[in-house]
Amino acid sequence: MKKSYLLILFLIIACSRQNETVIPGDNEHNTPSETPDGSGEDDTPGDGTDDENAEYKDVLSLLNLEYPGLGNVKAAFEQGDYQTAAGNLLSYYRNRTGIKQPELDLENMKVTAGDRKKADDALGHIFQAHDGYPPYFYGDDIDWTYWPVKDNELRYQLHRHYWFVPMGKVYYQTKDEKYAREWISQYLDWIKKNPMSQKNGTAAERENYRFAWRQLETSHRIQDQILQFLLFNSSPNFTPDFLMTFLWNYSRHCERIIYDYSEKGNHLLFEAQRMVYAGVFFPEFKRAEAWSDSGVEILNREIKKQVYDDGGQFELDPGYHLGAINTFCRALRMTSVNNANDVFPSEYLSAIRSMIEFYTNICFPDMMHPCFGDTKSGSASVIKRNYREWLDIFPDCQWIKYYATEGREGGLLPYESHASKTSGFMTFRSGWRQNDVVMVLKAGPPAFFHCQPDNGTFELWFNGKRLFTDSGCYIYAGDATVNAKREWFRQTQVHNTLTMDGKNIETTDSKLLLWKPEGDIQVMTTENRHYSNLKHRRTVFFVDKKYFVLVDEAIGNAKGTINLNYHMCETPSDVRLVKGENAIYTNYKGNSNVKLQCFSDHAITMNEKEGWQSVKYNEKTRRTSVSYDVKKTDATPVRYITVIYPVTSVNEYPEIDARFTDGGYSKGKIGVEISVGSVKKSLECDITGVTD
């Protein structure tokens, strides 16, 4: 074996611990060491000599040579002819059948223009490391530490090698060896420059280790190297020598994860799913069963821990909820197509179905989800593909079939408005069609990194358009400049909810006090202790399945300026503010517009504020944002009435008036009278028994 080809810096030889019981995720194994022997050192494989046979032997020793189909590999190995064994092994893999990767259909694979651009750019070391940034040149001699923008995600995701699979797809289609040669060169270069031993090195080396070998990125490479293996292994440049390097590198990736899974959250799910992939796709490894078993164990455990009884995933972020569904489904699909159907019990499938129903309930008629938390907008084509994949798992589910076939088969869910009470997502819905009215509100329990201090916020859809949208997240984390950009979008005041003095709320633990989704006047009341001395109670009336009346109450002995914040969708030039009426009128193109008007038994000041929305990473657009401010000088609650009235034509805007009829704040009852044109309605809400 050529030293220049192996470039081996660290070999995990699991033989020494093959009989050790592995407890995935157990903190006992989360040690600073990355090696099973605890040394944390990078060792050249073999006996320390230049004997190439010895190096081949070390890698081949990672395999179970009793595995069906490896007879000639075993025979050469036992004769000490390790190079022949390696050649026989490569032939075996090139001709292996029966092990499937369900996400790659080599017979019907398509290469997109985007794939080709990424592949061609990569030939010149121009890498698209993150879709939120342009491609950057990483040097003729690749600098894997180059960090053009101090956003952590840009540097983390560099180590996911997003261009490797596009290079493989272009190679597989064209058989142009320049793609295979360059992939192999970059693959080896990455190994050489990102050794695990950096964890115990200089400050710069420790920093690089943090980005290159974080569990999430390591697991991503575990998953994608399967695709790379399938796409490139027919190349004459994919030699037995390189196969040894590939298998050694793959093994150490899996060992890095199995001894140090992330503690919790979506990272843990991704890592477990990818370890299932590793063990199922490479059953020839002695450790394959341990890898896949650890992933299965974690997924079976975490689906009970991370998924609430109403189907919501505990990060309370629609985008990450969708990601969790698909993570659970991928593991299920991988085991199913490879005849390991019994590793996930029926309860696992029931939980996935519940998660899909939760997701369907919070989506708009265009099948897209609200952008609460760190959610991005996604695409309808991807969501449609998701439903088709879900239908493979649940072929008898009529509402999944409806979306999978774009309405040609199946049927809609048998209800309209719906509350996921544990997760705190409530949806008022006049129906499931494009011209219907849909409001999705978020007011739930504490969550994690991808959730925001936004309790009480909502998005509104009418007649093919979102009229009120959430702020999104814009960016994740990095240096002070990047963090400041993230924090702006996380502010409570940039969501459709109530604040005091523009400050972020201190507590995110809403309680659903009332939910009545029946009749001509549907109603919901939710409450959150925003600050130590002020709680926010929001009641929403959905009137005649046409418009909304919101009653917001700031209750407590706090003193300051209460802000009721509203944020329109993009295109500020199409929004008109009339401060004398405390009203907002839109004039968007098309047949979906809205009037908002705010009332109070206190003096209101209507203020326009800086407004931005971000539905894609590192992209933002201006929008109109308004706060209705009231001075709170004593313990008297501040109360607002907001009427939100969607129309198909701006000529249909009605005259609106509203007043309280309940004689003042009460722990138990709310009463308002609404005039819309010539029609008056009395709205009442009884929440008797609620305590301060």
Side-chain angles (χ1 to χ4, degrees):
M1 182 182 305
K2 300 293 188 293
K3 290 285 185 180
S4 61
Y5 220 46
L6 267 178
L7 297 173
I8 292 190
L9 306 172
F10 170 36
L11 175 62
I12 294 209
I13 302 177
C15 306
S16 62
R17 294 179 72 165
Q18 287 166 8
N19 298 321
E20 179 175 332
T21 301
V22 178
I23 306 174
D26 191 320
N27 289 334
E28 180 181 347
H29 293 284
N30 295 340
T31 65
S33 170
E34 299 309 321
T35 58
D37 66 3
S39 67
E41 296 298 325
D42 290 350
D43 297 321
T44 301
D47 58 7
T49 71
D50 290 331
D51 185 347
E52 294 177 356
N53 258 341
E55 294 175 346
Y56 279 82
K57 178 182 179 182
D58 286 335
V59 178
L60 291 165
S61 295
L62 298 172
L63 305 178
N64 170 21
L65 299 182
E66 300 294 335
Y67 191 81
L70 298 183
N72 60 353
V73 179
K74 177 185 177 184
F77 182 87
E78 290 179 342
Q79 293 171 9
D81 189 353
Y82 306 123
Q83 294 187 41
T84 297
N88 292 343
L89 181 62
L90 179 57
S91 179
Y92 160 82
Y93 276 123
R94 284 174 171 168
N95 295 284
R96 186 183 71 169
T97 59
I99 302 295
K100 300 176 182 178
Q101 209 293 0
E103 295 161 24
L104 181 63
D105 181 357
L106 292 173
E107 299 299 321
N108 300 291
M109 185 185 66
K110 295 181 180 179
V111 178
T112 67
D115 290 332
R116 183 169 287 277
K117 184 178 189 308
K118 287 181 180 179
D120 288 342
D121 281 352
L123 294 175
H125 300 175
I126 298 170
F127 303 148
Q128 180 79 56
H130 190 297
D131 285 342
Y133 293 96
Y136 294 105
F137 176 55
Y138 283 80
D140 292 324
D141 181 14
I142 299 172
D143 181 0
W144 297 101
T145 67
Y146 179 50
W147 200 0
V149 178
K150 298 304 184 285
D151 177 352
N152 290 351
E153 286 301 306
L154 182 60
R155 190 164 175 189
Y156 278 130
Q157 295 192 30
L158 172 68
H159 297 286
R160 298 182 191 178
H161 306 149
Y162 282 126
W163 58 95
F164 276 2
V165 171
M167 291 174 78
K169 292 170 73 174
V170 174
Y171 171 74
Y172 195 85
Q173 184 183 76
T174 66
K175 299 304 179 185
D176 188 333
E177 289 300 321
K178 67 184 180 185
Y179 295 102
R181 287 193 300 269
E182 184 59 32
W183 170 70
I184 289 170
S185 174
Q186 292 182 21
Y187 187 95
L188 296 172
D189 189 71
W190 186 89
I191 294 174
K192 176 183 177 181
K193 294 174 180 174
N194 296 279
M196 282 188 176
S197 60
Q198 288 182 324
K199 184 169 187 178
N200 300 314
T202 66
E205 289 173 337
R206 291 196 303 272
E207 179 188 73
N208 187 63
Y209 173 89
R210 179 168 70 93
F211 287 102
W213 286 100
R214 186 173 70 155
Q215 295 98 319
L216 186 62
E217 279 61 51
T218 304
S219 73
H220 188 96
R221 295 192 297 270
I222 286 172
Q223 177 172 273
D224 275 13
Q225 284 181 86
I226 291 175
L227 304 178
Q228 296 157 31
F229 183 81
L230 290 169
L231 292 166
F232 281 116
N233 73 26
S234 62
S235 167
N237 286 285
F238 198 115
T239 63
D241 189 53
F242 179 73
L243 175 64
M244 296 293 96
T245 302
F246 183 93
L247 295 177
W248 156 75
N249 187 48
Y250 199 82
S251 175
R252 70 179 186 147
H253 272 66
C254 295
E255 294 300 310
R256 190 268 180 273
I257 295 297
I258 199 170
Y259 287 106
D260 193 16
Y261 276 103
S262 292
E263 181 182 352
K264 61 183 179 181
N266 68 82
H267 286 208
L268 179 58
L269 299 185
F270 282 125
E271 293 155 20
Q273 172 249 309
R274 290 158 180 173
M275 289 292 279
V276 172
Y277 273 35
V280 171
F281 187 81
F282 285 113
E284 300 84 6
F285 279 103
K286 291 176 179 176
R287 296 275 289 160
E289 188 173 350
W291 296 341
S292 58
D293 284 354
S294 72
V296 167
E297 178 187 341
I298 288 168
L299 292 172
N300 278 324
R301 180 189 75 214
E302 292 298 311
I303 204 167
K304 299 174 183 176
K305 183 183 296 185
Q306 294 196 28
V307 181
Y308 290 130
D309 57 1
D310 58 16
Q313 196 260 354
F314 70 176
E315 292 193 72
L316 304 182
D317 176 299
Y320 283 87
H321 178 95
L322 178 61
I325 293 174
N326 287 331
T327 300
F328 289 125
C329 286
R330 285 190 182 104
L332 180 67
R333 191 177 300 113
M334 187 67 171
T335 56
S336 178
V337 300
N338 289 290
N339 301 313
N341 294 311
D342 58 344
V343 297
F344 294 110
S346 60
E347 293 85 353
Y348 184 92
L349 273 74
S350 296
I352 292 174
R353 190 182 185 281
S354 178
M355 293 180 75
I356 298 172
E357 186 169 356
F358 172 95
Y359 181 75
T360 302
N361 272 299
I362 67 170
C363 283
F364 298 108
D366 63 352
M367 302 172 69
M368 304 300 291
H369 49 242
C371 285
F372 299 139
D374 285 348
T375 299
K376 322 302 185 296
S377 60
S379 71
S381 62
V382 172
I383 300 302
K384 291 174 184 176
R385 185 184 70 208
N386 286 335
Y387 275 103
R388 291 193 295 271
E389 292 173 351
W390 298 338
L391 185 62
D392 289 339
I393 300 173
F394 304 102
D396 298 326
C397 182
Q398 294 303 301
W399 51 269
I400 292 180
K401 182 179 291 185
Y402 178 88
Y403 288 105
T405 62
E406 300 183 50
R408 294 185 298 275
E409 300 177 44
L412 293 163
L413 282 163
Y415 52 81
E416 293 170 348
S417 297
H418 180 270
S420 298
K421 297 180 180 180
T422 305
S423 301
F425 282 75
M426 283 66 67
T427 303
F428 288 108
R429 189 184 298 271
S430 67
W432 297 87
R433 311 294 181 180
Q434 291 289 318
N435 62 348
D436 280 309
V437 183
V438 183
M439 176 183 279
V440 183
L441 299 100
K442 176 178 179 289
F448 303 101
F449 178 81
H450 294 293
C451 195
Q452 297 181 4
D454 60 358
N455 286 42
T457 194
F458 66 88
E459 288 199 3
L460 174 65
W461 165 283
F462 171 65
N463 203 28
K465 183 178 180 65
R466 276 192 253 194
L467 295 168
F468 290 82
T469 55
D470 215 58
S471 57
C473 79
Y474 188 54
I475 208 164
Y476 280 178
D479 66 5
T481 300
V482 169
N483 288 339
K485 292 177 181 179
R486 174 174 176 79
E487 289 308 311
W488 192 94
F489 281 84
R490 288 180 59 81
Q491 296 177 95
T492 305
Q493 65 177 334
V494 305
H495 299 85
N496 295 309
T497 190
L498 182 142
T499 55
M500 182 175 66
D501 297 328
K503 296 178 181 178
N504 287 348
I505 61 177
E506 298 168 358
T507 304
T508 56
D509 192 11
S510 294
K511 308 301 180 188
L512 183 62
L513 307 181
L514 180 67
W515 173 249
K516 293 179 62 178
E518 307 88 10
D520 294 336
I521 300 177
Q522 301 177 26
V523 61
M524 175 212 79
T525 300
T526 186
E527 183 177 274
N528 186 67
R529 175 67 63 178
H530 272 19
Y531 310 98
S532 60
N533 52 0
L534 190 81
K535 69 179 179 181
H536 173 214
R537 188 167 75 180
R538 167 163 276 182
T539 298
V540 179
F541 297 93
F542 185 27
V543 183
D544 297 332
K545 296 188 177 181
K546 291 177 60 177
Y547 67 96
F548 296 90
V549 178
L550 279 61
V551 175
D552 289 281
E553 299 170 290
I555 307 160
N557 59 13
K559 298 178 182 179
T561 300
I562 305 301
N563 330 106
L564 185 57
N565 307 285
Y566 290 112
H567 308 275
M568 316 306 291
C569 63
E570 69 283 356
T571 322
S573 60
D574 294 334
V575 179
R576 180 167 59 96
L577 308 182
V578 182
K579 293 188 176 182
E581 300 177 6
N582 290 323
I584 303 172
Y585 298 81
T586 68
N587 187 24
Y588 301 128
K589 295 178 182 178
N591 54 0
S592 181
N593 277 279
V594 67
K595 175 181 179 179
L596 179 150
Q597 194 162 359
C598 192
F599 306 86
S600 179
D601 45 14
H602 292 74
I604 295 177
T605 302
M606 181 181 179
N607 292 308
E608 185 172 8
K609 304 169 72 173
E610 181 181 6
W612 296 95
Q613 177 191 12
S614 176
V615 297
K616 294 183 178 180
Y617 198 91
N618 200 31
E619 293 183 19
K620 62 181 180 179
T621 55
R622 286 195 177 276
R623 63 175 178 170
T624 299
S625 294
V626 170
S627 70
Y628 292 98
D629 297 340
V630 171
K631 296 291 185 181
K632 188 173 185 297
T633 58
D634 54 31
T636 303
V638 169
R639 304 202 294 165
Y640 300 85
I641 303 170
T642 306
V643 181
I644 300 176
Y645 199 95
V647 296
T648 56
S649 169
V650 294
N651 298 320
E652 298 173 359
Y653 284 137
E655 293 292 325
I656 296 174
D657 196 12
R659 64 186 183 92
F660 286 103
T661 59
D662 51 22
Y665 166 74
S666 163
K667 293 181 181 180
K669 294 185 179 181
I670 295 171
V672 298
E673 182 181 82
I674 305 296
S675 298
V676 178
S678 60
V679 179
K680 290 187 177 181
K681 285 188 178 287
S682 294
L683 308 176
E684 295 183 350
C685 171
D686 188 343
I687 45 177
T688 303
V690 175
T691 59
D692 288 332

